Amino acid sequence: MDIELDFLSPVHQIKTKLFDERGLTVFIKRDDLIHPIISGNKWRKLKYILKQARDEEKTRLVTFGGAYSNHLLATAAAAAKFGFKSTGIVRGEQVNNDTLFLCRLHGMNLLFTDRESYRDKPALFRKFFKNDPGAFFIDEGGASPLGARGCSELIGELPETYDHILCASGTGTTAAGIINGITAQHLQTQFHAVPVFKNGEFIKNEIDKLLITPADYHLHTAYDFGGYGKADDQLIEFVKQFVANTGILIEPVYTGKMLFALYDLAAKNHFTPGSRILAIHSGGIWGLLGMKERF
Ligand SMILES: *Cc1c(COP(=O)(O)O)cnc(C)c1O
């Protein structure tokens, strides 16, 4: 079976009074709809990694993540779909939650490891799989040049050009891929990364390492809400209102922060009237299951 998903994510317009008043036309690329589980940027990042595993005749995908990792879940489902076995090495003591339940349902074997050993992933891989020539190492979050290559394809799918594109950033792989796509097509589009980690300036290094040609882009570091997985009442309220007003499901870990940034920057007149703006919905809505008690 070809390593391909046949669904092209659509672009939808978001209409609100705020965008009208500021003269902005805002769209959202629905990468959350690519696949119910292998959603968003996790599919784009995995695509060429899986093709490489297939080319090397590997049989088991081995990857890493926290107990609520979208990447673990996407890898479990992609392995099931494309005929690989899978192992997830999970940071921290043994737990069970909705994400890990879905991983196991897709046949993923879970190994829990303490936070200290978790730091050295190649060592963990050697420890568990040194006698398994079919095992294939995939770094946490799919961070790699192959991951960026898959993400760059998003630009080729767009029906028109935009003045600005915004995306949430964790490892920076998705951002780098999109910037590479913009450069390759010689577009004038300005790219905006919204880091979801605290002190997100470090992401610039990670993005720059994966750029094929150096490029300028914007980094909005004021929207981490205290760090990864953190959210205050204002962000939770924003997510609730957004979902209730648009029917588009988002979560507060990634896309919620990026859209909050978009609304805030628009309100502060950051974009010139007449601008056409594209926000990337990078998926990950299963992450909501870990935050039910916040809503
Ligand atoms: C993992 C993830 C990101 C971060 O992507 P990076 O390539 O690591 O920057 C963004 N959005 C969602 C929904 C994710 O699951």
Side-chain angles (χ1 to χ4, degrees):
M1 192 200 295
D2 243 18
I3 296 185
E4 198 55 77
L5 294 179
D6 41 21
F7 189 75
L8 210 61
S9 68
V11 172
H12 293 154
Q13 189 171 356
I14 305 174
K15 289 188 192 248
T16 69
K17 190 153 156 280
L18 169 66
F19 297 150
D20 273 352
E21 283 170 358
R22 297 298 191 279
L24 306 172
T25 318
V26 177
F27 301 90
I28 186 162
K29 170 89 165 150
R30 300 290 309 277
D31 270 11
D32 56 314
L33 299 180
I34 287 178
H35 184 276
I37 310 272
I38 321 170
S39 81
N41 66 340
K42 297 300 182 280
W43 161 246
R44 294 189 185 277
K45 292 204 275 188
L46 280 170
K47 178 173 160 187
Y48 288 100
I49 295 173
L50 263 54
K51 281 180 190 279
Q52 188 184 348
R54 170 75 56 88
D55 288 347
E56 295 181 12
E57 297 181 355
K58 301 293 187 183
T59 52
R60 178 179 292 279
L61 307 178
V62 179
T63 196
F64 304 82
Y68 286 100
S69 165
N70 294 329
H71 166 71
L72 274 186
L73 180 52
T75 306
K81 181 166 175 66
F82 297 111
F84 296 97
K85 298 189 174 90
S86 67
T87 297
I89 300 185
V90 188
R91 183 182 62 234
E93 69 215 37
Q94 180 149 2
V95 287
N96 200 5
N97 64 32
D98 297 318
T99 302
L100 296 176
F101 154 66
L102 288 169
C103 287
R104 284 190 286 103
L105 186 61
H106 286 85
M108 183 175 254
N109 176 32
L110 299 175
L111 300 172
F112 294 84
T113 182
D114 64 273
R115 280 151 206 276
E116 187 55 38
S117 324
Y118 188 82
R119 288 206 190 112
D120 192 347
K121 297 175 187 67
L124 280 170
F125 181 75
R126 283 193 301 274
K127 177 176 162 196
F128 292 115
F129 297 100
K130 67 171 181 298
N131 296 319
D132 183 353
F136 187 77
F137 176 94
I138 302 177
D139 208 349
E140 180 168 24
S144 63
L146 283 179
R149 178 172 161 206
C151 294
S152 71
E153 292 181 347
L154 183 151
I155 294 296
E157 297 173 8
L158 299 178
E160 53 184 328
T161 57
Y162 303 90
D163 300 302
H164 303 274
I165 295 182
L166 284 85
C167 184
S169 253
T171 64
T173 310
T174 305
I178 294 173
I179 297 167
N180 286 337
I182 291 172
T183 308
Q185 301 216 3
H186 310 288
L187 302 178
Q188 297 305 309
T189 309
Q190 296 184 40
F191 182 78
H192 303 254
V194 180
V196 302
F197 288 109
K198 208 181 170 106
N199 303 321
E201 294 81 14
F202 79 90
I203 206 111
K204 185 166 185 347
N205 258 321
E206 303 305 311
I207 294 176
D208 289 352
K209 273 193 271 184
L210 291 167
L211 293 184
I212 290 166
T213 329
D216 286 328
Y217 53 91
H218 306 268
L219 205 59
H220 301 282
T221 54
Y223 302 100
D224 63 86
F225 291 88
Y228 184 72
K230 300 259 165 62
D232 65 8
D233 293 344
Q234 199 189 8
L235 177 60
I236 297 293
E237 193 51 37
F238 173 81
V239 168
K240 272 192 196 167
Q241 292 294 334
F242 183 87
V243 176
N245 290 331
T246 63
I248 299 171
L249 200 53
I250 59 168
E251 43 67 54
V253 181
Y254 293 104
T255 304
K257 289 182 183 177
M258 181 275 298
L259 287 170
F260 187 100
L262 169 59
Y263 280 63
D264 192 54
L265 292 166
K268 291 173 176 158
N269 299 308
H270 186 83
F271 305 106
T272 24
S275 295
R276 297 171 72 75
I277 301 173
L278 181 70
I280 309 297
H281 191 322
S282 39
I285 48 179
W286 293 100
L288 274 172
L289 296 178
M291 302 184 88
K292 286 180 290 220
E293 68 287 354
R294 293 296 308 271
F295 285 82

